Each structure stands twice: as C-alpha cells, then as structure tokens.
Amino acid sequence: EISRKISYPDFARAFHLEGIVNVGISTDHTGQVTVSESNASHEGLLEYVVTHLKKMIIGDEEYRGREYKLMLKFKMY
C-alpha cells in the first residue's frame, strides 16, 4: 500500500536524483502513520517521503497498531 502511494517525485526525475530513504514508522488503531526515525542519501527525497507518510492512513486493519522499518529506493531507469 505504501509503495503504491509514494511514487518517484517529479523534482527528483527532473534533476536525475537517485537515493535511498530509510524510515521507521508505526501505525495506530485508526491506521494513522507516525514517522519515528529517518535518514536518507538526499534531504529532498527524505522530506518528500516523510511528508507523504504523515498524510497516510493504512486501510487494511491487519497492518494497524504495528511498527515497521522501510527502505525506499529511488533509481532512474
């Protein structure tokens, strides 16, 4: 669900930016996402990912109330 909602950002595509974003997230009983830790190879990619995650609500109840570690790779092909 998360990887479908966070696409390759237009600004990164325009400047041919590539990088990795690592984030720790948790979800509450309503599906609201909270970012607990983060780092990235590019600050712009990090801000993009964190902003999108904070707006996200996880719809599937099976994935609510948990903690996750995510690695998102942005690579030009």
Side-chain angles (χ1 to χ4, degrees):
E1 188 171 344
I2 290 172
S3 63
R4 286 189 311 239
K5 292 183 179 179
I6 299 179
S7 60
Y8 206 107
D10 290 337
F11 75 88
R13 199 176 303 281
F15 292 103
H16 303 282
L17 295 177
E18 296 183 333
I20 296 174
V21 177
N22 293 298
V23 291
I25 65 167
S26 58
T27 57
D28 64 15
H29 68 282
T30 66
Q32 181 68 45
V33 174
T34 302
V35 177
S36 57
E37 58 184 276
S38 60
N39 65 58
S41 58
H42 188 278
E43 188 65 30
L45 291 173
L46 177 61
E47 288 178 27
Y48 173 80
V49 168
V50 169
T51 298
H52 276 72
L53 286 171
K54 288 181 177 181
K55 294 177 185 176
M56 213 173 269
I57 303 286
I58 302 299
D60 193 335
E61 289 185 28
E62 178 182 350
Y63 299 105
R64 294 180 181 178
R66 296 185 179 187
E67 293 185 12
Y68 300 94
K69 299 249 187 231
L70 304 173
M71 177 189 290
L72 293 96
K73 295 180 181 180
F74 296 93
K75 190 157 185 83
M76 298 287 293
Y77 290 100

Coordinates of all heavy atoms in Angstrom, one line a residue:
E1 N 0.8 -1.2 0.0 CA 0.0 0.0 0.0 C 0.9 1.3 0.0 O 0.6 2.2 -0.7 CB -0.9 0.0 1.2 CG -1.9 1.1 1.2 CD -3.0 0.9 2.4 OE1 -3.1 -0.2 2.9 OE2 -3.6 1.9 2.6
I2 N 1.9 1.3 0.8 CA 2.8 2.4 0.9 C 3.6 2.7 -0.4 O 3.6 3.8 -0.9 CB 3.8 2.3 2.1 CG1 3.0 2.4 3.4 CG2 4.9 3.4 2.0 CD1 3.8 2.2 4.6
S3 N 4.1 1.6 -1.0 CA 4.9 1.8 -2.2 C 4.1 2.2 -3.4 O 4.6 2.9 -4.3 CB 5.7 0.5 -2.5 OG 4.8 -0.5 -2.8
R4 N 2.8 1.9 -3.4 CA 1.9 2.4 -4.5 C 1.6 3.9 -4.3 O 1.3 4.5 -5.3 CB 0.6 1.6 -4.5 CG 0.8 0.2 -5.0 CD -0.6 -0.5 -5.1 NE -1.4 -0.3 -3.9 CZ -1.9 -1.2 -3.2 NH1 -1.7 -2.5 -3.5 NH2 -2.5 -1.0 -2.1
K5 N 1.6 4.4 -3.1 CA 1.2 5.8 -2.9 C 2.4 6.7 -2.9 O 2.2 7.9 -3.0 CB 0.5 5.9 -1.5 CG -0.8 5.2 -1.6 CD -1.6 5.4 -0.3 CE -3.0 4.7 -0.4 NZ -3.7 4.9 0.9
I6 N 3.6 6.2 -2.8 CA 4.8 7.1 -2.9 C 5.5 6.8 -4.2 O 6.3 5.8 -4.3 CB 5.7 6.9 -1.7 CG1 5.0 7.2 -0.4 CG2 7.0 7.8 -1.8 CD1 5.8 7.0 0.9
S7 N 5.3 7.7 -5.2 CA 5.9 7.5 -6.5 C 7.2 8.3 -6.6 O 7.5 9.0 -5.7 CB 4.9 7.9 -7.6 OG 4.6 9.3 -7.4
Y8 N 7.9 8.1 -7.7 CA 9.1 8.8 -7.9 C 8.8 10.3 -8.0 O 8.0 10.6 -8.9 CB 9.8 8.3 -9.2 CG 11.3 8.5 -9.2 CD1 12.1 7.4 -9.1 CD2 11.8 9.7 -9.4 CE1 13.5 7.6 -9.1 CE2 13.2 9.9 -9.4 CZ 14.0 8.8 -9.3 OH 15.4 9.0 -9.3
P9 N 9.3 11.1 -7.2 CA 8.9 12.6 -7.2 C 9.4 13.3 -8.5 O 10.4 13.0 -9.0 CB 9.6 13.2 -6.0 CG 10.7 12.2 -5.6 CD 10.3 10.9 -6.2
D10 N 8.5 14.2 -9.0 CA 8.8 14.9 -10.2 C 10.2 15.7 -10.1 O 10.9 15.8 -11.0 CB 7.7 15.9 -10.5 CG 6.4 15.2 -11.0 OD1 6.6 14.0 -11.5 OD2 5.4 15.8 -10.9
F11 N 10.4 16.3 -8.9 CA 11.7 17.1 -8.8 C 12.9 16.2 -8.9 O 13.9 16.6 -9.5 CB 11.7 17.9 -7.4 CG 11.9 17.0 -6.2 CD1 13.2 16.8 -5.8 CD2 10.9 16.5 -5.5 CE1 13.5 16.0 -4.7 CE2 11.1 15.7 -4.4 CZ 12.4 15.5 -4.0
A12 N 12.8 15.0 -8.4 CA 13.9 14.0 -8.5 C 14.1 13.6 -9.9 O 15.3 13.5 -10.4 CB 13.7 12.9 -7.6
R13 N 13.0 13.4 -10.6 CA 13.1 12.9 -12.0 C 13.7 14.1 -12.8 O 14.6 13.8 -13.7 CB 11.7 12.6 -12.5 CG 11.6 11.8 -13.7 CD 10.2 11.4 -14.1 NE 9.4 10.8 -13.1 CZ 9.5 9.5 -12.8 NH1 10.4 8.7 -13.5 NH2 8.7 8.9 -11.9
A14 N 13.3 15.3 -12.6 CA 13.8 16.4 -13.4 C 15.3 16.6 -13.2 O 16.0 17.0 -14.1 CB 13.1 17.7 -13.0
F15 N 15.8 16.4 -12.0 CA 17.3 16.6 -11.7 C 18.0 15.2 -11.7 O 19.2 15.2 -11.3 CB 17.4 17.3 -10.4 CG 17.0 18.7 -10.4 CD1 15.7 19.0 -9.8 CD2 17.7 19.7 -11.0 CE1 15.3 20.4 -9.9 CE2 17.3 21.0 -11.1 CZ 16.0 21.3 -10.5
H16 N 17.4 14.2 -12.1 CA 18.0 12.8 -12.2 C 18.6 12.4 -10.8 O 19.7 11.9 -10.7 CB 19.1 12.8 -13.3 CG 18.6 13.2 -14.6 ND1 17.9 12.3 -15.4 CD2 18.7 14.3 -15.3 CE1 17.5 12.9 -16.5 NE2 18.0 14.1 -16.5
L17 N 17.8 12.7 -9.8 CA 18.3 12.3 -8.4 C 17.9 10.9 -8.1 O 16.9 10.4 -8.5 CB 17.6 13.2 -7.4 CG 17.9 14.7 -7.4 CD1 17.0 15.4 -6.3 CD2 19.3 14.9 -7.1
E18 N 18.9 10.2 -7.5 CA 18.7 8.8 -7.1 C 19.1 8.8 -5.6 O 19.9 9.6 -5.1 CB 19.5 7.8 -7.8 CG 19.2 7.8 -9.3 CD 20.0 6.7 -10.0 OE1 21.1 6.4 -9.6 OE2 19.5 6.2 -11.0
G19 N 18.5 7.8 -4.9 CA 18.9 7.7 -3.5 C 18.0 6.7 -2.7 O 17.1 6.1 -3.3
I20 N 18.4 6.6 -1.5 CA 17.7 5.6 -0.6 C 17.2 6.4 0.6 O 17.9 7.2 1.2 CB 18.6 4.5 -0.1 CG1 19.1 3.7 -1.3 CG2 18.0 3.6 1.0 CD1 20.1 2.7 -1.0
V21 N 15.9 6.1 1.0 CA 15.3 6.7 2.2 C 15.0 5.6 3.2 O 14.3 4.6 2.8 CB 14.1 7.5 1.9 CG1 13.4 8.1 3.1 CG2 14.4 8.6 0.9
N22 N 15.5 5.6 4.4 CA 15.1 4.7 5.4 C 14.3 5.4 6.5 O 14.6 6.4 6.9 CB 16.4 4.2 6.1 CG 17.3 3.3 5.2 OD1 16.8 2.3 4.7 ND2 18.5 3.8 4.9
V23 N 13.2 4.7 6.8 CA 12.3 5.3 7.8 C 11.7 4.2 8.7 O 11.5 3.1 8.3 CB 11.1 6.1 7.2 CG1 11.5 7.3 6.5 CG2 10.3 5.2 6.2
G24 N 11.5 4.6 10.0 CA 10.8 3.8 10.9 C 9.5 4.4 11.1 O 9.4 5.6 11.3
I25 N 8.4 3.6 11.0 CA 7.1 4.1 11.1 C 6.3 3.2 12.1 O 6.6 2.1 12.3 CB 6.3 4.2 9.8 CG1 6.1 2.8 9.2 CG2 7.0 5.1 8.8 CD1 5.1 2.8 8.0
S26 N 5.2 3.8 12.6 CA 4.3 3.0 13.4 C 2.9 3.4 12.9 O 2.7 4.5 12.4 CB 4.5 3.2 14.9 OG 4.3 4.6 15.2
T27 N 1.9 2.5 13.1 CA 0.5 2.8 12.8 C -0.3 2.6 14.1 O 0.0 1.7 14.9 CB 0.0 1.9 11.7 OG1 0.1 0.5 12.1 CG2 0.8 2.1 10.4
D28 N -1.3 3.5 14.2 CA -2.2 3.3 15.4 C -3.4 2.5 15.0 O -3.5 2.0 13.9 CB -2.5 4.7 16.0 CG -3.3 5.6 15.1 OD1 -3.9 5.1 14.1 OD2 -3.5 6.8 15.4
H29 N -4.3 2.4 15.9 CA -5.5 1.6 15.6 C -6.4 2.1 14.5 O -7.2 1.4 14.0 CB -6.3 1.4 16.9 CG -7.0 2.7 17.4 ND1 -6.3 3.7 18.1 CD2 -8.3 3.1 17.3 CE1 -7.1 4.7 18.3 NE2 -8.3 4.3 17.9
T30 N -6.3 3.4 14.2 CA -7.1 4.0 13.1 C -6.3 3.9 11.8 O -6.9 4.3 10.7 CB -7.4 5.5 13.4 OG1 -6.2 6.2 13.4 CG2 -8.1 5.7 14.7
G31 N -5.1 3.5 11.8 CA -4.3 3.4 10.6 C -3.4 4.6 10.3 O -2.7 4.6 9.3
Q32 N -3.5 5.6 11.2 CA -2.6 6.8 11.0 C -1.1 6.5 11.2 O -0.8 5.7 12.1 CB -3.0 7.9 12.1 CG -2.2 9.2 12.0 CD -2.5 10.0 10.7 OE1 -3.7 10.1 10.4 NE2 -1.5 10.4 10.0
V33 N -0.3 7.0 10.3 CA 1.1 6.7 10.2 C 1.9 7.7 11.0 O 1.6 8.9 10.8 CB 1.6 6.6 8.8 CG1 3.1 6.4 8.7 CG2 0.9 5.4 8.1
T34 N 2.8 7.3 11.8 CA 3.7 8.2 12.5 C 5.2 7.8 12.2 O 5.5 6.6 12.2 CB 3.5 8.1 14.0 OG1 2.2 8.4 14.4 CG2 4.5 9.0 14.8
V35 N 6.0 8.8 11.8 CA 7.4 8.5 11.5 C 8.2 8.7 12.8 O 8.2 9.7 13.4 CB 7.9 9.5 10.4 CG1 9.4 9.3 10.1 CG2 7.0 9.3 9.1
S36 N 9.0 7.7 13.1 CA 9.7 7.7 14.4 C 11.2 8.0 14.1 O 11.9 8.5 15.0 CB 9.5 6.4 15.1 OG 9.9 5.3 14.3
E37 N 11.7 7.6 13.0 CA 13.1 7.8 12.7 C 13.3 7.8 11.2 O 12.5 7.2 10.5 CB 14.0 6.7 13.3 CG 13.6 5.3 12.8 CD 14.4 4.2 13.5 OE1 15.6 3.9 13.0 OE2 14.0 3.7 14.5
S38 N 14.3 8.5 10.7 CA 14.5 8.6 9.3 C 15.9 9.1 9.0 O 16.5 9.8 9.7 CB 13.5 9.5 8.7 OG 13.6 10.8 9.2
N39 N 16.4 8.6 7.8 CA 17.6 9.1 7.2 C 17.6 8.8 5.7 O 16.8 8.0 5.3 CB 18.9 8.6 7.9 CG 19.0 7.1 7.7 OD1 19.1 6.6 6.6 ND2 19.0 6.3 8.8
A40 N 18.4 9.5 5.0 CA 18.4 9.4 3.5 C 19.7 9.9 2.9 O 20.4 10.6 3.6 CB 17.2 10.1 2.9
S41 N 19.9 9.4 1.7 CA 21.1 9.9 1.0 C 20.9 11.3 0.4 O 21.8 11.9 0.0 CB 21.4 8.9 -0.1 OG 20.4 8.7 -1.0
H42 N 19.6 11.7 0.3 CA 19.3 13.0 -0.2 C 18.2 13.7 0.6 O 17.1 13.1 0.8 CB 18.9 12.9 -1.7 CG 18.8 14.3 -2.3 ND1 17.6 15.0 -2.2 CD2 19.6 15.0 -3.1 CE1 17.8 16.1 -2.9 NE2 19.0 16.1 -3.4
E43 N 18.4 14.8 1.1 CA 17.4 15.5 2.0 C 16.1 15.7 1.4 O 15.0 15.6 2.0 CB 18.0 16.8 2.5 CG 17.2 17.5 3.6 CD 17.1 16.7 4.9 OE1 18.1 16.0 5.2 OE2 16.0 16.8 5.6
G44 N 16.1 16.1 0.1 CA 14.8 16.3 -0.6 C 14.0 15.1 -0.7 O 12.7 15.1 -0.6
L45 N 14.6 13.9 -1.0 CA 13.9 12.7 -1.0 C 13.3 12.3 0.4 O 12.2 11.8 0.5 CB 14.8 11.6 -1.5 CG 15.2 11.6 -3.0 CD1 16.2 10.5 -3.3 CD2 14.0 11.5 -3.9
L46 N 14.1 12.6 1.4 CA 13.6 12.3 2.7 C 12.4 13.2 3.1 O 11.4 12.6 3.6 CB 14.7 12.6 3.8 CG 14.4 12.5 5.2 CD1 13.9 11.0 5.5 CD2 15.5 12.9 6.1
E47 N 12.4 14.4 2.8 CA 11.3 15.3 3.1 C 10.1 14.9 2.3 O 8.9 14.9 2.8 CB 11.6 16.8 2.7 CG 12.6 17.4 3.7 CD 12.9 18.8 3.3 OE1 12.1 19.5 2.6 OE2 14.1 19.3 3.6
Y48 N 10.2 14.5 1.0 CA 9.1 14.0 0.2 C 8.5 12.8 0.8 O 7.3 12.7 0.9 CB 9.7 13.7 -1.2 CG 8.7 13.0 -2.1 CD1 7.7 13.8 -2.8 CD2 8.8 11.7 -2.3 CE1 6.8 13.2 -3.6 CE2 7.8 11.0 -3.2 CZ 6.9 11.8 -3.8 OH 6.0 11.2 -4.7
V49 N 9.3 11.8 1.2 CA 8.8 10.6 1.8 C 8.1 10.8 3.1 O 6.9 10.4 3.3 CB 9.9 9.5 1.9 CG1 9.4 8.3 2.8 CG2 10.4 9.0 0.6
V50 N 8.7 11.5 4.0 CA 8.1 11.8 5.3 C 6.8 12.6 5.2 O 5.8 12.2 5.9 CB 9.1 12.6 6.2 CG1 8.5 13.1 7.5 CG2 10.3 11.6 6.6
T51 N 6.7 13.5 4.3 CA 5.5 14.3 4.1 C 4.4 13.4 3.7 O 3.3 13.5 4.2 CB 5.7 15.4 3.1 OG1 6.7 16.3 3.6 CG2 4.4 16.2 2.8
H52 N 4.7 12.5 2.7 CA 3.6 11.6 2.2 C 3.2 10.6 3.3 O 2.0 10.3 3.4 CB 4.1 10.9 1.0 CG 3.9 11.7 -0.3 ND1 4.7 12.8 -0.6 CD2 3.0 11.5 -1.3 CE1 4.3 13.3 -1.7 NE2 3.3 12.6 -2.2
L53 N 4.2 10.1 4.1 CA 3.8 9.1 5.1 C 2.9 9.7 6.2 O 2.0 9.1 6.6 CB 5.1 8.5 5.7 CG 5.9 7.6 4.9 CD1 7.2 7.3 5.5 CD2 5.1 6.3 4.6
K54 N 3.2 10.9 6.6 CA 2.4 11.6 7.6 C 1.0 11.8 7.2 O 0.1 11.9 8.1 CB 3.1 12.9 8.0 CG 4.4 12.7 8.8 CD 5.0 14.0 9.3 CE 6.2 13.8 10.1 NZ 6.8 15.1 10.5
K55 N 0.7 11.9 5.9 CA -0.6 12.1 5.4 C -1.4 10.8 5.2 O -2.6 10.8 5.0 CB -0.6 12.8 4.1 CG -0.1 14.2 4.1 CD 0.0 14.8 2.7 CE 0.6 16.2 2.7 NZ 0.7 16.7 1.3
M56 N -0.7 9.7 5.4 CA -1.2 8.4 5.0 C -2.1 7.7 6.1 O -1.8 7.9 7.3 CB -0.1 7.5 4.7 CG -0.3 6.5 3.6 SD 1.2 5.6 3.2 CE 1.7 6.7 1.8
I57 N -3.1 7.1 5.7 CA -3.9 6.2 6.6 C -3.9 4.8 6.0 O -4.2 4.6 4.8 CB -5.4 6.7 6.6 CG1 -5.5 8.1 7.1 CG2 -6.2 5.8 7.5 CD1 -5.2 8.4 8.5
I58 N -3.4 3.8 6.8 CA -3.4 2.5 6.3 C -4.8 1.9 6.4 O -5.4 1.8 7.5 CB -2.4 1.6 7.2 CG1 -1.0 2.3 7.1 CG2 -2.4 0.2 6.7 CD1 -0.4 2.3 5.7
G59 N -5.3 1.4 5.3 CA -6.7 0.9 5.2 C -6.9 -0.5 5.8 O -7.9 -0.8 6.4
D60 N -5.9 -1.3 5.6 CA -6.1 -2.7 6.0 C -5.8 -2.9 7.5 O -4.8 -2.6 8.0 CB -5.1 -3.6 5.2 CG -5.3 -5.1 5.3 OD1 -6.0 -5.5 6.3 OD2 -4.9 -5.8 4.4
E61 N -6.9 -3.3 8.2 CA -6.8 -3.4 9.7 C -5.7 -4.4 10.1 O -5.2 -4.2 11.2 CB -8.1 -3.9 10.2 CG -9.2 -2.8 10.1 CD -10.5 -3.2 10.8 OE1 -10.5 -4.1 11.7 OE2 -11.5 -2.7 10.3
E62 N -5.3 -5.3 9.3 CA -4.2 -6.3 9.7 C -2.9 -5.6 9.9 O -2.1 -6.0 10.7 CB -4.1 -7.3 8.5 CG -3.0 -8.3 8.7 CD -2.8 -9.2 7.6 OE1 -3.7 -9.2 6.7 OE2 -1.8 -10.0 7.6
Y63 N -2.7 -4.4 9.3 CA -1.4 -3.7 9.4 C -1.4 -2.5 10.4 O -0.5 -1.8 10.5 CB -1.0 -3.2 8.0 CG -0.8 -4.4 7.1 CD1 -1.7 -4.7 6.1 CD2 0.3 -5.3 7.2 CE1 -1.5 -5.8 5.2 CE2 0.5 -6.4 6.4 CZ -0.4 -6.6 5.4 OH -0.3 -7.7 4.6
R64 N -2.5 -2.4 11.1 CA -2.6 -1.3 12.1 C -2.1 -1.7 13.4 O -2.0 -2.8 13.8 CB -4.1 -0.9 12.2 CG -4.7 -0.3 11.0 CD -6.1 0.1 11.2 NE -6.7 0.6 9.9 CZ -8.0 1.0 9.8 NH1 -8.8 0.8 10.9 NH2 -8.4 1.4 8.7
G65 N -1.6 -0.7 14.2 CA -1.1 -0.9 15.5 C 0.3 -1.6 15.5 O 0.6 -2.4 16.4
R66 N 1.1 -1.4 14.5 CA 2.4 -2.1 14.4 C 3.5 -1.1 14.1 O 3.2 0.1 13.7 CB 2.3 -3.1 13.3 CG 1.3 -4.2 13.5 CD 1.5 -5.2 12.4 NE 0.6 -6.3 12.7 CZ 0.5 -7.4 12.0 NH1 1.4 -7.6 11.0 NH2 -0.3 -8.4 12.2
E67 N 4.7 -1.6 14.2 CA 5.9 -0.8 13.8 C 6.6 -1.4 12.6 O 6.6 -2.7 12.5 CB 6.9 -0.7 15.0 CG 6.3 0.1 16.2 CD 7.3 0.3 17.3 OE1 8.5 0.0 17.1 OE2 6.9 0.7 18.4
Y68 N 7.1 -0.6 11.8 CA 7.8 -1.1 10.6 C 9.0 -0.3 10.3 O 9.2 0.8 10.7 CB 6.9 -0.9 9.3 CG 5.6 -1.7 9.4 CD1 4.4 -1.0 9.9 CD2 5.5 -3.0 9.1 CE1 3.2 -1.7 10.0 CE2 4.3 -3.7 9.2 CZ 3.1 -3.0 9.7 OH 2.0 -3.7 9.8
K69 N 10.0 -0.9 9.6 CA 11.2 -0.3 9.1 C 11.1 -0.4 7.5 O 10.9 -1.5 7.0 CB 12.4 -1.0 9.5 CG 12.6 -1.0 11.0 CD 13.7 -0.1 11.4 CE 14.0 -0.2 12.9 NZ 14.0 1.0 13.6
L70 N 11.2 0.8 6.9 CA 11.0 0.8 5.4 C 12.3 1.3 4.8 O 12.9 2.2 5.3 CB 9.9 1.7 5.0 CG 8.5 1.4 5.6 CD1 7.5 2.5 5.2 CD2 8.0 0.1 5.1
M71 N 12.6 0.8 3.6 CA 13.7 1.3 2.8 C 13.1 1.5 1.4 O 12.6 0.6 0.8 CB 14.8 0.3 2.6 CG 15.9 0.8 1.7 SD 17.2 -0.4 1.3 CE 18.0 -0.5 2.9
L72 N 13.1 2.8 1.0 CA 12.6 3.1 -0.3 C 13.7 3.5 -1.2 O 14.6 4.4 -0.8 CB 11.6 4.3 -0.2 CG 10.3 3.9 0.5 CD1 10.4 4.3 2.0 CD2 9.1 4.6 -0.1
K73 N 13.9 2.9 -2.3 CA 14.9 3.2 -3.3 C 14.4 3.9 -4.5 O 13.4 3.5 -5.1 CB 15.6 1.9 -3.8 CG 16.3 1.1 -2.7 CD 16.9 -0.2 -3.2 CE 17.5 -0.9 -2.1 NZ 18.1 -2.2 -2.6
F74 N 15.0 5.1 -4.7 CA 14.6 5.9 -5.9 C 15.8 5.8 -6.9 O 16.9 6.3 -6.6 CB 14.4 7.3 -5.5 CG 13.2 7.5 -4.5 CD1 13.4 7.5 -3.2 CD2 11.9 7.6 -5.0 CE1 12.3 7.6 -2.3 CE2 10.9 7.8 -4.2 CZ 11.1 7.8 -2.8
K75 N 15.5 5.1 -8.0 CA 16.5 4.9 -9.0 C 16.0 5.2 -10.4 O 14.9 4.7 -10.7 CB 17.0 3.4 -8.9 CG 18.2 3.1 -9.7 CD 18.8 1.9 -9.1 CE 20.1 1.6 -9.8 NZ 21.2 2.3 -9.3
M76 N 16.7 5.9 -11.2 CA 16.3 6.2 -12.5 C 16.6 5.0 -13.4 O 17.7 4.4 -13.3 CB 17.1 7.4 -13.1 CG 16.9 8.7 -12.4 SD 15.3 9.5 -12.6 CE 15.4 9.9 -14.3
Y77 N 15.7 4.7 -14.3 CA 16.0 3.6 -15.2 C 16.0 4.1 -16.6 O 15.5 5.0 -17.0 CB 14.8 2.6 -15.1 CG 14.8 1.8 -13.8 CD1 14.0 2.2 -12.8 CD2 15.7 0.8 -13.7 CE1 14.0 1.5 -11.6 CE2 15.7 0.1 -12.4 CZ 14.9 0.5 -11.4 OH 14.9 -0.2 -10.3

